[in-house]
Amino acid sequence: MSRGKRKFELEEKIQILREEENYGVEVTCCKYQIAPSLFYSWKNRFDRHGPDGLTPKHHRVDPQVKALEKENDRLGKIISRQAIEQEVKEELLKKTKPHYR
C-alpha cells in the first residue's frame, strides 16, 4: 500500500542534511525513510545553491483555479458557438425577408 508522495519543508531538508553529518547517509535515510538518491540530490543542490537550491522551482497551480479555468474555457466556447449561430440566423433572416418597394 503506497503512502503517496511526501513533501518536505525547507527546514526539514536542512535538518536531514545536518543530521547526516553526525550519523551518516545510511542511518539518516533509514530514519526519515528516504532514498539515498534523494538525499544526494538535496545535498548537491544545497552545495551548489544553498537553501534556495532546496526550494521547489515549479509553480503549483491550485486545483480549484485549474477547474475554474477549464470551466471558463468551456463557457467561452459555448458563447462563441452561440454568437456564430446568432450571426447565421441574422443572415438567413436578411435573405428571407421580402423586399418591399
Side-chain angles (χ1 to χ4, degrees), residues 4 19 24-25 41 62 66 84 87 91 96 99:
E19 205 165 303
V25 174
S41 173
D62 183 0
K66 200 169 195 173
I84 291 170
E87 280 184 43
E91 289 297 317
T96 58
H99 296 297

Side-chain angles (χ1 to χ4, degrees), residues 48-71:
R48 279 188 261 128
H49 305 288
D52 288 341
L54 297 177
T55 57
K57 299 299 178 216
H58 57 279
H59 176 68
R60 184 165 278 212
V61 177
D62 183 0
Q64 287 180 323
V65 171
K66 200 169 195 173
L68 289 172
E69 288 173 346
K70 187 176 179 179
E71 178 70 2

